[in-house]
Amino acid sequence: MKNALITGITGQDGSYLAELLLEKGYNVYGIWRRKSTVDYGNIAHLKDKVTLIYADMTDPVSLVTAMRISQADEVYNLAAQSFVSTSWDTPIGTADINAVGVVNMLEAIRIVKPEARFYQASTSEMFGKVQEIPQKETTPFYPRSPYGVAKLYGHWITKNYRESYGMFACSGILFNHESERRGLEFVTRKITDAAVRISLGRQEYVELGNLDAKRDWGHSKDYVRAMWLMLQQDNPDDYVIATNETRTVREFAETAFRHVGIDIEWQGEGVDKIGINKANGKTIVKINKKFFRPAEVDFLLGDPSKAENVLGWKREISFSELVERMVKNDMEKELNG
């Protein structure tokens, strides 16, 4: 029976990964931070099945302790300041967690159990101002946010420890992946929650930013399976995990509202653009310039062929099903209080 340690276990990806590893018979340990009130996040239903360890990505000693307690055979580093917009407000804090936190974790592994296998959650945001379409493992990076820059450090330090110390260290360059467990601050969940509330007459409209930003969206449950597959290979390597499909924020909104029986008609340009409910002429989507990024990432499209060929990975949940699942979950939450 293997031991696995997951940082960021209470988040979207951490919870799905914990479920997957438990199904495969792992002893699952998770790192979480001390708070004034106990918050299990997305793992409330797993709290009696996993072992939680108080630690912090900015505290190397606590990570060494976590490794000694868990004796992890596999370490999945999913902890991050994960909201891109917030990284402009807290650039130093983002760097402490998303960049320095990675080397802290790698050092803890090297000190306690260097043979442990390590997964680093890299991101398509590292491509930023894209230099190639589609983006693959060899595409040059050009991050456009403090978040992307910090994640790029984490990506390269993982590669450096692999090459310098012979550690089994992999990075998954994951493109946007959502789920029913996504936080409300993220645009996808903001849209699905608003669609439900507007359809029920509990909200008038939703404010969005750049409707033309294009993203490659998949489901978190598919993507954590790719993380596990990376650590089961004979040799460590880095992989792009994506769907090879791109959609605009506008398309995401149209799909979400369609699932609650509302068709959107768009009027105006730029920040004056609005989305009208075709059935009754009410404004249900407004554009607010405060939601535009200082430096926008306009187009992301990943090429997952390496992961498909080497790992045997395939995404199973389509874009339409992803949005439908999110809408249905938000409807159930809204109706059941």
Side-chain angles (χ1 to χ4, degrees):
M1 186 178 286
K2 291 182 180 179
N3 296 336
L5 177 64
I6 304 173
T7 74
I9 193 171
T10 61
Q12 170 186 256
D13 290 1
S15 64
Y16 281 116
L17 179 61
E19 289 175 348
L20 176 68
L21 296 178
L22 287 168
E23 289 171 6
K24 294 185 178 296
Y26 283 67
N27 294 316
V28 177
Y29 295 80
I31 284 176
W32 67 336
R33 287 179 296 172
R34 175 75 173 85
K35 294 182 179 179
S36 57
T37 57
V38 175
D39 180 9
Y40 291 105
N42 289 303
I43 61 163
H45 63 300
L46 300 176
K47 66 180 186 296
D48 297 324
K49 299 179 181 179
V50 302
T51 302
L52 296 172
I53 304 168
Y54 283 118
D56 193 289
M57 297 304 293
T58 64
D59 184 343
V61 173
S62 71
L63 298 179
V64 169
T65 300
M67 278 300 299
R68 286 178 174 155
I69 292 171
S70 66
Q71 286 299 305
D73 301 294
E74 297 174 5
V75 178
Y76 296 86
N77 183 35
L78 311 184
Q81 189 297 98
S82 60
F83 195 41
V84 177
S85 296
T86 298
S87 72
W88 276 282
D89 299 323
T90 59
I92 296 173
T94 299
D96 285 342
I97 299 169
N98 296 7
V100 180
V102 182
V103 74
N104 288 342
M105 190 72 251
L106 284 164
E107 275 295 289
I109 294 169
R110 194 170 71 89
I111 291 167
V112 178
K113 195 173 182 179
E115 69 273 21
R117 297 188 169 200
F118 177 74
Y119 170 83
Q120 166 61 15
S122 290
T123 171
S124 58
E125 288 286 333
M126 299 187 308
F127 293 120
K129 188 175 181 180
V130 299
Q131 305 298 294
E132 180 181 30
I133 298 173
Q135 295 89 57
K136 47 186 181 286
E137 292 81 4
T138 56
T139 302
F141 298 116
Y142 196 138
R144 298 264 284 172
S145 66
Y147 171 84
V149 172
K151 278 289 191 176
L152 186 54
Y153 176 90
H155 178 80
W156 279 112
I157 200 66
T158 298
K159 186 186 292 283
N160 186 263
Y161 268 60
R162 179 169 75 218
E163 296 176 352
S164 299
Y165 300 114
M167 294 174 66
F168 195 107
C170 302
S171 286
I173 307 173
L174 272 56
F175 280 63
N176 293 68
H177 49 288
E178 316 298 326
S179 77
E180 305 90 305
R181 299 176 186 176
R182 185 52 115 178
L184 281 167
E185 70 272 22
F186 290 85
V187 67
T188 51
R189 182 75 194 294
K190 180 180 180 180
I191 289 171
T192 59
D193 178 70
V196 166
R197 290 180 53 79
I198 289 169
S199 72
L200 296 174
R202 299 177 182 179
Q203 183 172 325
E204 289 187 21
Y205 60 87
V206 60
E207 291 187 337
L208 301 175
N210 183 7
L211 292 175
D212 297 317
K214 293 182 178 180
R215 294 292 184 269
D216 183 328
W217 275 300
H219 195 288
S220 173
K221 196 168 186 177
D222 284 337
Y223 285 38
V224 300
R225 183 163 35 86
M227 300 175 189
W228 177 78
L229 285 169
M230 289 180 210
L231 297 196
Q232 311 315 307
Q233 304 306 302
D234 292 334
N235 299 300
D237 206 347
D238 305 325
Y239 299 87
V240 162
I241 305 300
T243 70
N244 200 29
E245 298 175 358
T246 190
R247 302 284 200 291
T248 62
V249 174
R250 181 186 290 101
E251 289 176 89
F252 195 103
E254 289 170 346
T255 305
F257 275 93
R258 199 175 299 123
H259 281 303
V260 294
I262 297 175
D263 287 327
I264 301 177
E265 180 178 291
W266 300 100
Q267 298 179 5
E269 297 293 336
V271 294
D272 296 319
K273 187 180 286 293
I274 57 174
I276 305 295
N277 182 343
K278 283 187 178 180
N280 57 28
K282 289 185 177 179
T283 298
I284 53 175
V285 179
K286 296 181 180 181
I287 308 305
N288 190 326
K289 63 182 180 181
K290 78 176 183 180
F291 295 119
F292 282 72
R293 296 181 182 183
E296 183 59 83
V297 173
D298 295 310
F299 187 96
L300 291 175
L301 175 65
D303 177 0
S305 57
K306 179 179 175 182
E308 292 174 348
N309 294 332
V310 178
L311 304 179
W313 177 82
K314 288 277 188 182
R315 71 98 173 251
E316 297 176 357
I317 300 171
S318 68
F319 173 77
S320 180
E321 184 182 352
L322 161 67
V323 181
E324 182 179 11
R325 287 172 64 148
M326 293 178 69
V327 170
K328 282 185 175 180
N329 185 71
D330 282 331
M331 182 66 76
E332 288 174 8
K333 284 187 174 182
E334 193 65 28
L335 293 178
N336 296 329

